Amino acid sequence: MRVAVIPARGGSHRIPRKNLRPFFGQPIVAYSIKTALLSGLFDGGIYLSTDDDEIADVATVYGAIPLMRPKGLERDEVGTQAVMQAELKRLVVLTPDIESACCIYPTAPMLNHQDLLDGY
């Protein structure tokens, strides 16, 4: 099975609430979720890792499964690699037959499903 993980922290300092900011009528994170769904690649699920209840709610509305981050992973200095490692450790418990994982950034509205298919 293949999974996608979208790391969408709530506490951006440069652009406050950037993952929820409207972009052509939708929260910007919605584009990454919709692209992942449209690709059809992620039969193990599309997960959104966050520390923010509002972002988790948006994830659910657009078809992703929210994962509330463990304490310590919400800090500015925690990088994507650490978040992915932690979330994949959790996901293999839920979906033990994961064969691959894809990290999709939440602020990538120009990414399209063909990009994901081409990368697979």
Side-chain angles (χ1 to χ4, degrees):
M1 298 193 123
R2 295 178 297 271
V3 298
V5 177
I6 301 169
R9 195 170 62 84
S12 174
H13 294 288
R14 286 178 284 179
I15 303 173
R17 311 294 292 158
K18 71 179 175 189
N19 294 315
L20 296 172
R21 283 279 180 87
F23 186 78
F24 290 99
Q26 296 180 58
I28 198 161
V29 69
Y31 291 90
S32 295
I33 297 167
K34 290 166 60 174
T35 296
L37 287 167
L38 190 57
S39 76
L41 286 172
F42 305 108
D43 53 351
I46 298 162
Y47 298 88
L48 186 135
S49 171
T50 191
D51 60 336
D52 185 282
D53 290 333
E54 190 176 358
I55 294 173
D57 291 343
V58 169
T60 301
V61 166
Y62 285 93
I65 302 160
L67 296 172
M68 297 308 290
R69 289 189 190 180
K71 290 288 182 203
L73 289 180
E74 76 285 355
R75 298 185 327 265
D76 285 347
E77 62 274 1
V78 176
T80 303
Q81 183 176 0
V83 171
M84 289 296 293
Q85 286 175 337
E87 296 300 17
L88 289 173
K89 282 181 185 177
R90 290 171 50 183
L91 285 173
V92 295
V93 173
L94 300 171
T95 311
D97 53 348
I98 293 174
E99 63 184 51
S100 63
C102 178
C103 175
I104 301 173
Y105 284 103
T107 54
M110 304 310 282
L111 180 71
N112 67 57
H113 72 284
Q114 192 60 52
D115 296 328
L116 295 173
L117 292 168
D118 292 346
Y120 180 72

